[in-house]
Amino acid sequence: MPSTQRTILTAVAWPYANGPRHIGHVSGFGVPSDVFSRYQRMAGNRVLMVSGTDEHGTPILVQADKEGVTARELADRYNRVIAEDLKSLGLAYDLFTRTTTRNHYAVVQEMFKGLHDNGYIFAKTTMGAISPSTGRTLPDRYIEGTCPICGYDGARGDQCDNCGNQLDPDRLINPRSRINGETPKFIETEQFFLDLPSFAAVLGGWLQEQKTWRPNVLKFSLNLLDDLQPRAISRDLDWGVPVPLEGWVDRPDKKLYVWFDAVVGYLSASVEWARRTGDPDAWRAFWQVGPNGEAPDAYYFMGKDNIVFHSEIWPAMLLGYDGRGDKGGTAGSLGELSLPHEVVSSEFLTMEGRKFSSSRAVVIYVRDFLSRYDADALRYYITAAGPETQDTDFTWSEFLRRNNDELVAGWGNLVNRAISMAAKNLGEIPAPGELTAEDEALLATARGAFQTVGDLLDRCRFKAALAEAMRVVADANKYVSDHEPWKLAKTDPARMATVLHVTLQVVDDAKTLLTPFLPFSSEKVFHLLGGEGTWSAMPELREVEDLDGGPGYPVLTGDYQAALARWESTPIAVGRALQPPTPIFKKLDPSIVDEELARLGGETA
């Protein structure tokens, strides 16, 4: 447990509401952020975990046209689908909301006005990409072509993923629309731009100070500093947040660019959360810099394709709102806002050797996955074998192996045989007799893991943290096999009781160590050991009214402080009655591999 309580903002990337999310998405933003937040709450820290569905921009309009509905109707549908799926996965948001609330509009417009008043937003006539067939603006990311700098043929209109340079779509060689393959038409249009070059110096100094970031994130971010260009923050659209300036706010053809309003969502969701708690200023503890420069710790979770927005653009916006760029300025009504403490980016997850592709059926959506398999099985796989620091391939054979060999035969087997033997032979948690050196060693290993695993979780090293927790499980399984308590029942019942006490204590410790990763099964183990109450709280889907008179919508939220889980070893309750356990994991038949591969489009790599 920490000696002083930390204030931690967990800012989770906003899933886009133009369709259901697949397991590749939640491997980047979802599971890692929840593992982190659950641990921090257990460790006694004050945590605010926020996000929501990102609902503006051309892709929403394109998908709505395909489905024959309005943009709002599409956003309503997939906001609910995504929220339900994230609930099923156990992602413990304090608030999962959406970008179409009036609260969000107000906070986005305040951020714009603050940046504009400080001179960091300016209007400029530029060349905009238009779809010849629809007349709509094409977002930069929906245009591909050859990079004019490195020659890469898969560059996007905003950035080349090969060389990392920021681009404008009209600079691409042989540009084409990703929507229908047509060549975009470029026309003159007046837009607002964020003056990113005004933050090069302060961003560079700030990035150089980051010593704990993942190397891939920091290196990528530093490389971008050499070519910072003004970035468009408005678009010719009729779907989005209005530009809050006289002569612009009522225009039906000009809206703020979707990426601009989406990153402000972290702040607007925090404000909405505070308003819903009855303390409208509660968000400030998670955002504002104190009088002596003290700041809360803000951790941002996303996939690697969103690094630039979280390590460069959003920090620049925060700096500009506070007046900390080259042009100076003063902070607006929101006060001086803190910069990210850490940008926790995951790499990409592929599937059976190929990129996820809904159109080619190379995909499995979260909802479909959870209809056939346990949430903890997916959470375990994502953490143990996911794309934490490098691109990783999901394969059904590896999912089967990890579920059956590690969860069922490893952790599940330890729980089952320890509780079964104690329930059968004693009916309760036994008191220990005299402990041997081997008993003491195993207990010490389990107790010591709290520091080791906790340190790794605090540094967002989730894969290593899970490996250390599972090492305790492996040591406990070996201890049981070596001491054979089932044989001691007749020859030395007192020693059997001691061995079972030690084993049950380590099972209880392992349950706690695994709670951030496996909250559903840890809750089961808690009750199998006779616990009462809620060990690991789950999110709830609640229907709410818009705070400012707009349409109602569902949110994810929960009362996580009421949960009993704490990051510490607690002595088990001697004498507590035990019943024969039921399995906490399902063993999967090897036939699922062929069944799942048959669902994929085409042939696997």
Side-chain angles (χ1 to χ4, degrees):
M1 301 290 285
S3 56
T4 58
Q5 186 184 60
R6 297 168 61 198
T7 299
I8 295 173
L9 173 71
T10 305
V12 190
W14 291 59
Y16 203 57
N18 64 337
R21 300 297 88 184
H22 57 62
I23 63 171
H25 293 131
V26 295
S27 71
F29 74 82
V31 172
S33 61
D34 187 63
V35 170
F36 177 78
S37 295
R38 286 183 179 276
Y39 161 70
Q40 295 294 352
R41 291 189 186 114
M42 291 174 68
N45 293 318
R46 187 182 180 194
V47 175
L48 177 62
M49 178 175 167
V50 293
S51 186
T53 45
D54 181 5
E55 300 180 2
H56 292 127
T58 301
I60 294 289
L61 294 169
V62 171
Q63 188 62 31
D65 284 348
K66 288 181 180 178
E67 299 191 18
V69 297
T70 67
R72 178 71 197 212
E73 287 171 336
L74 185 90
D76 285 347
R77 180 194 308 166
Y78 288 119
N79 163 260
R80 185 174 296 277
V81 166
I82 292 169
E84 289 173 349
D85 289 352
L86 300 185
K87 172 185 178 293
S88 297
L89 198 50
L91 305 189
Y93 290 96
D94 291 282
L95 184 69
F96 183 88
T97 179
R98 60 193 305 184
T99 58
T100 46
T101 69
R102 294 184 180 182
N103 172 82
H104 177 71
Y105 277 42
V107 176
V108 171
Q109 291 176 329
E110 168 59 27
M111 179 64 69
F112 178 96
K113 288 186 285 187
L115 286 161
H116 187 267
D117 290 347
N118 285 338
Y120 296 108
I121 289 177
F122 61 89
K124 175 186 173 184
T125 298
T126 184
M127 301 302 291
I130 301 294
S131 165
S133 61
T134 67
R136 283 186 178 146
T137 299
L138 282 171
D140 295 347
R141 287 197 163 197
Y142 270 56
I143 304 171
E144 285 185 344
T146 301
C147 176
I149 299 172
C150 71
Y152 176 62
D153 189 39
R156 299 192 309 262
D158 61 344
Q159 177 182 304
C160 176
D161 287 338
N162 186 57
C163 65
N165 283 291
Q166 182 180 336
L167 299 173
D168 292 317
D170 59 317
R171 294 180 62 197
L172 290 175
I173 301 168
N174 297 322
R176 57 192 176 274
S177 168
R178 291 176 57 195
I179 298 172
N180 55 20
E182 66 186 0
T183 301
K185 178 182 178 182
F186 291 96
I187 62 171
E188 284 193 350
T189 180
E190 187 177 21
Q191 304 293 355
F192 285 98
F193 283 75
L194 177 65
D195 188 9
L196 281 176
S198 291
F199 303 101
V202 65
L203 281 175
W206 171 67
L207 286 170
Q208 292 288 355
E209 294 172 357
Q210 307 312 315
K211 306 300 182 185
T212 61
W213 288 20
R214 291 177 177 174
N216 57 319
V217 178
L218 187 57
K219 181 179 179 181
F220 179 82
S221 303
L222 288 169
N223 287 341
L224 292 176
L225 289 174
D226 295 334
D227 190 37
L228 285 183
Q229 302 293 329
R231 190 110 181 192
I233 63 168
S234 65
R235 270 295 180 262
D236 296 321
L237 286 173
D238 58 1
W239 176 244
V241 180
V243 179
L245 293 178
E246 185 177 353
W248 290 77
V249 69
D250 294 324
R251 289 185 61 170
D253 62 334
K254 295 285 185 181
K255 303 296 180 185
L256 291 176
Y257 208 166
V258 62
W259 69 257
F260 182 90
D261 90 79
V263 291
V264 181
Y266 302 117
L267 179 56
S268 70
S270 302
V271 172
E272 181 184 344
W273 164 82
R275 295 176 67 190
R276 292 194 182 282
T277 67
D279 180 4
D281 290 325
W283 67 271
R284 298 182 185 275
F286 297 93
W287 281 93
Q288 290 187 333
V289 178
N292 298 316
E294 67 274 17
D297 293 335
Y299 292 77
Y300 290 77
F301 290 81
M302 82 292 303
K304 68 178 179 181
D305 54 335
N306 279 321
I307 292 175
V308 63
F309 294 102
H310 296 83
S311 68
E312 305 275 356
I313 298 174
W314 178 230
M317 291 166 61
L318 293 168
L319 290 164
Y321 183 83
D322 296 340
R324 288 185 278 168
D326 290 349
K327 298 176 181 178
T330 58
S333 62
L334 298 171
E336 186 178 349
L337 303 171
S338 61
L339 296 175
H341 176 74
E342 187 154 351
V343 175
V344 188
S345 169
S346 297
E347 300 293 291
F348 288 149
L349 186 72
T350 55
M351 189 167 193
E352 296 291 348
R354 291 179 291 169
K355 290 183 179 180
F356 280 92
S357 172
S358 300
S359 62
R360 297 183 178 89
V362 184
V363 69
I364 181 166
Y365 296 111
V366 172
R367 175 162 300 196
D368 294 337
F369 194 105
L370 297 183
S371 71
R372 299 194 287 276
Y373 309 107
D374 292 339
D376 274 357
L378 177 57
R379 291 175 64 107
Y380 182 85
Y381 184 95
I382 286 174
T383 307
E388 184 172 300
T389 57
Q390 62 184 13
D391 291 352
T392 304
D393 191 41
F394 177 95
T395 67
W396 285 107
S397 59
E398 181 66 359
F399 172 72
L400 174 77
R401 186 192 69 78
R402 287 190 178 273
N403 182 86
N404 288 356
D405 294 355
E406 297 174 14
L407 288 181
V408 176
W411 174 223
N413 180 55
L414 175 65
V415 172
N416 186 71
R417 61 177 178 168
I419 297 177
S420 292
M421 283 186 285
K424 177 182 177 181
N425 292 285
L426 303 164
E428 63 181 28
I429 296 175
E434 184 177 351
L435 298 179
T436 66
E438 288 178 294
D439 300 337
E440 296 280 13
L442 181 61
L443 292 170
T445 294
R447 287 193 302 268
F450 283 91
Q451 182 69 47
T452 304
V453 176
D455 286 347
L456 289 166
L457 286 172
D458 204 46
R459 293 187 286 122
C460 301
R461 305 301 191 260
F462 307 117
K463 185 177 296 188
L466 178 58
E468 287 296 320
M470 290 299 287
R471 188 169 66 84
V472 174
V473 171
D475 287 351
N477 269 319
K478 183 178 186 303
Y479 171 87
V480 173
S481 297
D482 289 347
H483 290 81
E484 301 179 318
W486 54 91
K487 292 183 178 180
L488 295 172
K490 293 182 179 180
T491 62
D492 193 346
R495 178 59 187 158
M496 177 198 69
T498 299
V499 170
L500 289 177
H501 175 91
V502 170
T503 304
L504 290 171
Q505 177 65 62
V506 176
V507 166
D508 190 67
D509 286 346
K511 168 264 300 176
T512 304
L513 292 166
L514 289 168
T515 295
F517 311 99
L518 309 174
F520 294 95
S521 53
S522 293
E523 182 77 21
K524 293 179 183 178
V525 175
F526 171 74
H527 290 291
L528 288 174
L529 289 171
E532 297 181 352
T534 299
W535 172 254
S536 182
M538 291 295 163
E540 304 171 15
L541 191 66
R542 298 179 188 169
E543 301 295 329
V544 300
E545 295 298 320
D546 187 282
L547 294 168
D548 303 295
Y553 53 95
V555 299
L556 278 182
T557 187
D559 181 11
Y560 308 113
Q561 299 307 314
L564 299 171
R566 296 294 180 268
W567 194 254
E568 59 189 4
S569 175
T570 303
I572 53 176
V574 170
R576 180 181 286 169
L578 295 176
Q579 300 297 324
T582 55
I584 60 172
F585 300 110
K586 292 183 292 188
K587 185 173 183 179
L588 301 176
D589 190 278
S591 64
I592 70 145
V593 175
D594 289 337
E595 292 170 2
E596 295 294 351
L597 288 176
R599 290 188 174 99
L600 295 181
E603 297 182 1
T604 57

